[in-house]
Amino acid sequence: GDSVTQMEGPVTLSEEAFLTINCTYTATGYPSLFWYVQYPGEGLQLLLKATKADDKGSNKGFEATYRKETTSFHLEKGSVQVSDSAVYFCALNNYGQNFVFGPGTRLSVLP
Amino acid sequence: GAVVSQHPSWVICKSGTSVKIECRSLDFQATTMFWYRQFPKQSLMLMATSNEGSKATYEQGVEKDKFLINHASLTLSTLTVTSAHPEDSSFYICSARDGRGQNTEAFFGQGTRLTVV
């Protein structure tokens, strides 16, 4: 079945550091790919998405590119802030079926 | 984006009682709703998928008699945890999508933290 693998962390960075969270997937067909963020005690919020190969999703300084050749969707941000501290989930959705989530990566940004 | 409202956001109940969690799509028709469970510091695990007007499809290992799902309208689905026990304590999240057309995006509720004492 479909699956998502991502670095589990926790990842601890200093403010203004560069962030990369790796995500790779296994799926049949051509899934849509997503990054969701979960702040402490809250539900999931869509951060960005890409629906086809070579698409780049971006939002709030975060970006990720759908790489079909490497089945990857790595999340990057050039300069993280303390307010970016959260858990980040990579996910895929195959033709409107349920989402398949990665295990989540906890990010802590220190001032 | 579309809004999914989940209620309550947190609930504490006594062991043996039942708890109902509501998931509403506020500005779109949710032909399909998904219920997920999240254990502390873990990812979301799909519990069941429900299509409006049909019986829910449960994932392997999820007790359908314990987790009752109703999706009677295009804007409301409910999850009832029956005879709750402490091991049912968890974070429950719903998501909803409009399955008509080509849109694959689903929108998530804010989650319900259930604590059974």
Side-chain angles (χ1 to χ4, degrees):
Chain A
D2 297 346
S3 66
V4 175
T5 303
Q6 65 179 104
M7 54 191 293
E8 295 194 26
V11 174
T12 302
L13 296 173
S14 297
E15 204 165 23
E16 299 184 1
F18 184 86
L19 169 71
T20 299
I21 301 178
N22 291 336
C23 170
T24 57
Y25 68 91
T26 301
T28 56
Y30 301 93
S32 295
L33 303 176
F34 302 81
W35 277 100
Y36 282 88
V37 58
Q38 185 179 33
Y39 297 101
E42 299 184 13
L44 270 68
Q45 299 176 28
L46 177 65
L47 182 59
L48 53 84
K49 67 176 182 179
T51 58
K52 61 182 187 295
D54 299 326
D55 266 3
K56 177 186 283 188
S58 61
N59 185 27
K60 299 180 181 179
F62 291 90
E63 58 182 36
T65 301
Y66 190 144
R67 300 289 188 197
K68 186 165 176 59
E69 64 277 14
T70 55
T71 61
S72 65
F73 193 54
H74 304 322
L75 181 68
E76 296 182 336
K77 186 174 185 181
S79 177
V80 293
Q81 305 300 312
V82 173
S83 57
D84 293 327
S85 298
V87 180
Y88 293 82
F89 292 94
C90 185
L92 68 82
N93 184 296
N94 217 339
Y95 295 109
Q97 297 179 42
N98 63 284
F99 281 78
V100 176
F101 288 89
T105 300
R106 184 173 300 276
L107 170 66
S108 295
V109 180
L110 305 178
Chain B
V3 177
V4 174
S5 176
Q6 190 172 336
H7 177 81
S9 56
W10 61 270
V11 58
I12 301 173
C13 71
K14 291 184 177 181
S15 186
T17 62
S18 296
V19 174
K20 180 183 286 188
I21 302 170
E22 293 187 347
C23 181
R24 293 180 184 272
S25 58
L26 298 187
D27 50 4
F28 67 102
Q29 294 183 321
T31 56
T32 305
M33 286 192 173
F34 306 93
W35 287 94
Y36 296 85
R37 182 173 181 177
Q38 184 182 31
F39 290 101
K41 298 186 178 181
Q42 295 188 29
S43 190
L44 284 76
M45 301 300 296
L46 179 68
M47 298 175 65
T49 302
S50 71
N51 293 298
E52 185 265 338
S54 302
K55 288 185 177 180
T57 302
Y58 289 80
E59 295 299 299
Q60 192 172 10
V62 178
E63 299 176 61
K64 61 179 66 178
D65 294 331
K66 180 165 188 64
F67 299 99
L68 301 179
I69 292 172
N70 182 282
H71 189 175
S73 79
L74 284 171
T75 59
L76 174 65
S77 177
T78 60
L79 167 66
T80 302
V81 183
T82 63
S83 187
H85 291 284
E87 58 265 30
D88 298 324
S89 299
S90 191
F91 194 59
Y92 294 87
I93 302 177
C94 70
S95 73
R97 64 180 291 268
D98 184 346
R100 300 167 296 182
Q102 299 300 311
N103 185 17
T104 61
E105 187 168 353
F107 301 92
F108 286 82
Q110 62 268 53
T112 298
R113 184 164 302 283
L114 170 63
T115 302
V116 184
V117 298

